[in-house]
Amino acid sequence: MKAYRLLTADDTSAFCHKVTEALSKGWELYGNPTYAFDAANGVMRCGQAVTKDVDATYDPEIKLGQL
């Protein structure tokens, strides 16, 4: 199965570390990153979709971050 995650965080180095960690665990970038202003919190937010082929059957209880 192909697993999909959308990683999001404030525009800080923590977001880059989150994406780098996912890549180091075999996730692959999917599409372009997103960048938008969060007016409610007054910060810029980043997003990046990632996918990973895994040997598993889909279950809504799967913890995607642990794949």
Side-chain angles (χ1 to χ4, degrees):
M1 127 180 133
K2 185 174 287 283
Y4 171 91
R5 294 171 64 196
L6 178 63
L7 305 175
T8 61
D10 291 348
D11 182 21
T12 67
S13 63
F15 174 74
C16 295
H17 285 282
K18 183 185 281 192
V19 174
T20 300
E21 179 183 22
L23 295 174
S24 75
K25 292 181 176 180
W27 292 85
E28 297 180 3
L29 298 177
Y30 181 82
N32 294 322
T34 61
Y35 192 63
F37 183 67
D38 178 350
N41 295 305
V43 297
M44 293 302 290
R45 302 266 303 158
C46 300
Q48 175 64 59
V50 293
T51 61
K52 183 178 185 180
D53 290 319
V54 294
D55 186 22
T57 302
Y58 176 72
D59 179 338
E61 300 298 317
I62 291 174
K63 303 292 186 209
L64 296 172
Q66 296 176 358
L67 292 176

